[in-house]
Amino acid sequence: MEALGRQILVEFYDCDESKINDVSYIENSLIQATKASKATIISHNFHKFSPYGVSGVVVIAESHVAIHTWPEYNYCAVDIFTCGDTIDPWVIQEHLKGYLESKNVSSMEMKRGMFRMPEGQKLLFKPDQNLQPN
């Protein structure tokens, strides 16, 4: 079996409350962590909630990195999804742990898009320009 992608669901606990309530800081942190993994950034969008909390996403050619923060609980939920085998999503997690100053982290990895490939064939992560649509 081969997987199209890897998805890491991360819970960052005991984070710095002021940092995880700062939309600019969160945006910069996700962008820098994503760049550290050598992922290809396509776009990003972040929103500050009132009175607190930030949600945002960095869309990458390899999929996405998304976050939602709960400063009142010093907690952040993060979803890191990378397709293919060129990006290590754990690099993103480790950088975010530092940026968020998280003292406790819980994470799990899931393989996404599992396929049994015929012998001699590999799973394509990007469209093959020579294939004709069905």
Side-chain angles (χ1 to χ4, degrees):
M1 299 289 283
E2 291 188 48
L4 281 174
R6 300 164 67 188
Q7 186 170 20
I8 301 177
L9 302 177
V10 189
E11 299 192 289
F12 290 106
Y13 293 95
D14 303 316
C15 299
D16 181 289
E17 180 181 350
S18 64
K19 288 182 176 178
I20 67 172
N21 199 37
D22 181 334
V23 69
S24 295
Y25 184 84
I26 293 296
E27 181 174 11
N28 187 57
S29 295
L30 259 71
I31 289 170
Q32 293 309 312
T34 303
K35 284 181 178 179
S37 76
K38 308 235 184 313
T40 305
I41 296 175
I42 303 297
S43 66
H44 51 87
N45 189 28
F46 289 79
H47 177 77
K48 171 79 166 72
F49 292 95
S50 181
Y52 30 68
V54 175
S55 283
V57 64
V58 176
V59 177
I60 57 178
E62 301 81 8
S63 198
H64 68 269
V65 181
I67 189 168
H68 187 75
T69 74
W70 284 265
E72 66 272 32
Y73 298 111
N74 304 90
Y75 169 78
C76 301
V78 175
D79 174 14
I80 305 167
F81 192 167
T82 60
C83 297
D85 54 7
T86 59
I87 304 302
D88 182 355
W90 295 100
V91 169
I92 298 170
Q93 176 193 285
E94 286 308 304
H95 278 81
L96 287 177
K97 178 182 178 186
Y99 290 133
L100 304 173
E101 297 184 17
S102 175
K103 295 176 186 63
N104 295 296
V105 179
S106 174
S107 55
M108 67 178 215
E109 180 176 343
M110 299 169 28
K111 303 287 189 206
R112 301 297 304 268
M114 297 294 292
F115 293 92
R116 187 177 317 278
M117 298 303 295
E119 192 169 327
Q121 289 187 9
K122 291 195 59 78
L123 190 59
L124 299 176
F125 301 111
K126 295 183 180 176
D128 184 341
Q129 300 300 319
N130 298 318
L131 291 178
Q132 298 300 315
N134 292 336

